[in-house]
Amino acid sequence: VLVFNSDGGSTDGTTDQVLRATAGAPVMASHSLRTIHRIVAPYHGLPGKPAALRTIVAVAELLQARAVLVVDANATEASPAVFASLLAPVLDASADVAVLAPDRDPREGPLVTQVVRPLLAGACGATFEDPLGGDIAMSLQTLPGLLGQPAWNDDALRPGIDLWLRAFVLASGAETMQIATRPRTPPAGARVSLRDAVQQVLRATWRCLELVGRPAGAAPMAAPVTRRVSSGDAAEPEWALDDLARVFRDAARDLAPLWRSVLPPEIVEALAGAAAAPVVRVDDDVWAAVLVHAARASCTHARPDDLAMQVVPIYLGRVAGFMHDARGLPPGEVRRRIDALERAVGLRLRGTAGSGGEP
């Protein structure tokens, strides 16, 4: 057994716990991995999850490990049962990759349902329930070239390395499984603002699509299989929809010239009409056009962060209308509406959506 702790300077006693848990004299090392079996490797480069995860993958590849399991430190079910449920399908070869899928109301996590999943599904033909999650078990033998990917050193993906890893898995055609679990509870403490979170996720998603580089019209992949091991009563979320609509209306007045530099005229006109309506609604076709045109523009835009900032208020308008119309609906109907958005994005990415949908 090799116990390896890739530590980026944590102050929660992790290193001490690892050293106490290993038999014999503990070994501190930063370089050699081939002959030492109890290692704490302080990382002296740029701190962050990509560096730690890449180091763990390197160790696993070096040792020809049968499986790699990465778990989110903020997971509410950090238990042997959950770890075993993730590892089992990889070890028995029923899946190349297994991830957790929080069992929650489909109106939860609109950044996932309205941005990340539609773009991943449109580009790859399949997506995960929780593409931003940090829990994953995988067989490196079925993911050749993972360690040498440029994404590990990509600044845009520092906050989105989990998303990129899932995009890489989908683009590789690996056999995947999702295992349902109870939703995670966000950790207490400082959190980024809604605007910053949307901007970061937009940039990371665009960069993921650029790096996986799946050609338009590529054959769709099989959807990840979901193995239900637990379920719960998910509550419908509450949102301050009037505030979101107000931000969108202000942006439609102030940012229209910037939107015209990225979006077709008819889409900008549709956004203006949505802002002028008594109830803000950015429909599927319009929102799909915004997602696809912005993703394409990000590849050549001089300042992708600024482009993401321009899209944030449109996203807020989309959420305001979607949540308004989804109030009180059965979860199954909400999921069907999310599926419809994924299809609309896929049609535009493949260049078959009519107006504004050119390859």
Side-chain angles (χ1 to χ4, degrees), residues 152-333:
W152 298 112
N153 297 316
D154 196 302
D155 285 343
L157 292 175
R158 288 195 66 210
I161 196 66
D162 295 311
L163 169 60
W164 169 78
L165 183 56
R166 280 156 177 73
F168 180 84
V169 166
L170 290 172
S172 73
E175 294 287 335
T176 59
M177 178 174 290
Q178 302 183 104
I179 300 171
T181 186
R182 287 190 292 273
R184 293 185 299 273
T185 300
R191 300 177 64 184
V192 297
S193 69
L194 176 60
R195 286 175 179 271
D196 288 343
V198 177
Q199 184 181 0
Q200 287 180 3
V201 170
L202 282 168
R203 284 281 288 115
T205 306
W206 295 339
R207 187 63 176 140
C208 284
L209 298 187
E210 187 178 358
L211 288 177
V212 299
R214 280 184 55 78
M221 302 170 188
V225 176
T226 299
R227 176 183 290 173
R228 295 286 173 186
V229 296
S230 65
S231 62
D233 297 324
E236 183 175 333
E238 292 292 334
W239 281 75
L241 301 185
D242 290 342
D243 293 342
L244 303 186
R246 182 165 50 252
V247 173
F248 170 68
R249 287 190 171 105
D250 290 345
R253 181 190 64 234
D254 300 334
L255 298 182
L258 294 175
W259 292 348
R260 291 191 187 99
S261 67
V262 177
L263 304 173
E266 65 271 19
I267 298 301
V268 178
E269 291 174 8
L271 293 173
V279 176
V280 167
R281 285 188 180 89
V282 179
D283 66 29
D284 284 359
D285 287 339
V286 173
W287 179 233
V290 171
L291 287 176
V292 172
H293 281 279
R296 288 173 176 156
S298 71
C299 298
T300 56
H301 201 281
R303 299 175 64 88
D305 284 329
D306 289 350
L307 176 61
M309 288 180 64
Q310 296 170 28
V311 176
V312 168
I314 308 178
Y315 161 79
L316 298 180
R318 165 66 183 184
V319 171
F322 182 86
M323 291 296 189
H324 178 275
D325 293 342
R327 276 177 172 168
L329 291 180
E333 175 58 27

Side-chain angles (χ1 to χ4, degrees), residues 59-86:
V59 173
E61 187 175 90
L62 201 62
L63 298 176
Q64 298 183 330
R66 293 175 59 202
V68 176
L69 172 64
V70 179
V71 291
D72 190 337
N74 299 316
T76 57
E77 285 192 289
S79 68
V82 171
F83 300 163
S85 70
L86 280 166

